[in-house]
Amino acid sequence: MKVLKAILAGFAGAAALNILHETVRRFDADAPRVDLLGEEALIRSMNSLNLEAPTGDNLYAATLAGDIISNGIYYSAIGMAGSKNIYLKGAVAGLTAGLGAIKLPDPMGLDDKPVTKTDKTKVLTVAWYLIGGLVTAAVFDQLNKR
């Protein structure tokens, strides 16, 4: 049962993260554009495998699905580690993911501008991942109280 709760909580955190990304980017020019980073990564990955990458809405949908799945799996690890200090674990996982999101694209050969354009963009990127980790912790905590 712990595994199922961890997975549900992880996907709740991933959903919260993506709702923040998708909502705020429509209203704030300095908002992180993780979607653009994901699209670039998907295109490069597909090209390296000699596969034709999707375009337009299909590219956006594939990137969004991949983002939710990968973040859901990542955030699920928070609950898999048990319920002790769950909020601290959520915060550490969220901060780690956020810092990775702004520090790893450049060394990976990706354009980091969508997440490092301004100081505000960097702070929001880390904050969104932190919130995802804390939502995961809160959902896992609530599921364990039932």
Side-chain angles (χ1 to χ4, degrees), residues 14-82:
L17 168 65
N18 279 282
I19 289 168
L20 274 170
H21 278 303
E22 291 300 310
T23 301
V24 178
R25 77 175 178 87
R26 296 172 195 272
F27 302 103
D28 188 341
D30 289 330
R33 293 298 307 270
V34 177
D35 57 313
L36 298 178
L37 191 60
E39 287 178 359
E40 180 187 3
L42 180 59
I43 290 168
R44 285 183 177 216
S45 297
M46 299 287 288
N47 289 342
S48 73
L49 296 170
N50 293 321
L51 298 172
E52 188 173 332
T55 59
D57 289 343
N58 290 333
L59 175 60
Y60 172 79
T63 301
L64 183 61
D67 196 42
I68 291 171
I69 291 167
S70 61
N71 285 316
I73 292 168
Y74 174 78
Y75 283 140
S76 293
I78 295 167
M80 292 301 295

